[in-house]
């Protein structure tokens, strides 16, 4: 189980679980992309004999040793990545303020 809890990550109702899961997935994708980039650079340097270091030492420990989702959850919790958007309350307010289709027909 990944810590922190879902309640801590949703900021006590500020974001719903869907928003949190989408943010975590996007963050995990960015982390995976960064890992792939670092690995490609390291492999290029090793293949061209530019370095005598091993592959593992040339990739950031955070990206190399942990699962992307776990790193993403921790980054969201530590506010290294921030969820941008409106909250459920703002979404509900927008729905109430929008005119309904029946009101437009009249």
């Amino acid at each position: 189980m990944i810590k922190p809890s879902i309640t801590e990550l949703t900021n006590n109702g500020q974001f719903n679980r869907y928003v949190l899961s989408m943010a975590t997935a996007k963050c995990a994708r960015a982390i995976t992309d960064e890992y792939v980039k670092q690995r490609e650079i390291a492999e290029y340097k090793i293949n061209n004999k530019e370095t005598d270091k091993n592959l593992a030492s040339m990739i950031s420990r955070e990206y190399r040793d942990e699962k992307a989702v776990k790193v993403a959850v921790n980054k969201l919790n530590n506010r290294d990545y921030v969820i941008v958007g409106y909250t459920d309350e703002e979404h509900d307010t927008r729905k109430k303020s929008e005119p309904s289709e029946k009101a437009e027909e009249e």
Side-chain angles (χ1 to χ4, degrees):
M1 177 179 246
I2 296 177
K3 300 272 182 179
S5 70
I6 193 80
T7 305
E8 293 171 349
L9 290 172
T10 57
N11 294 324
N12 298 320
Q14 183 179 3
F15 297 106
N16 63 31
R17 290 176 184 222
Y18 176 76
V19 171
L20 180 64
S21 66
M22 292 301 297
T24 303
K26 287 181 179 186
C27 183
R29 170 50 50 198
I31 290 165
T32 301
D33 290 344
E34 180 61 26
Y35 168 79
V36 169
K37 179 181 167 186
Q38 287 184 16
R39 185 178 176 101
E40 286 174 351
I41 292 169
E43 287 175 347
Y44 176 81
K45 287 181 178 181
I46 291 170
N47 290 337
N48 290 329
K49 309 287 187 213
E50 294 178 19
T51 185
D52 57 349
K53 294 181 181 179
N54 64 3
L55 183 68
S57 67
M58 297 174 70
I59 300 172
S60 174
R61 168 177 264 142
E62 180 181 45
Y63 302 131
R64 182 188 71 220
D65 294 342
E66 298 290 336
K67 300 287 183 184
V69 172
K70 184 175 181 179
V71 174
V73 167
N74 288 330
K75 285 187 176 285
L76 286 168
N77 187 48
N78 295 336
R79 304 226 187 262
D80 294 335
Y81 286 111
V82 179
I83 299 173
V84 178
Y86 56 87
T87 62
D88 288 339
E89 292 171 2
E90 290 171 341
H91 180 68
D92 292 340
T93 304
R94 287 184 186 185
K95 277 188 169 182
K96 290 177 185 175
S97 66
E98 292 176 359
S100 66
E101 290 179 24
K102 290 182 181 178
E104 289 176 7
E105 291 175 3
E106 295 176 359

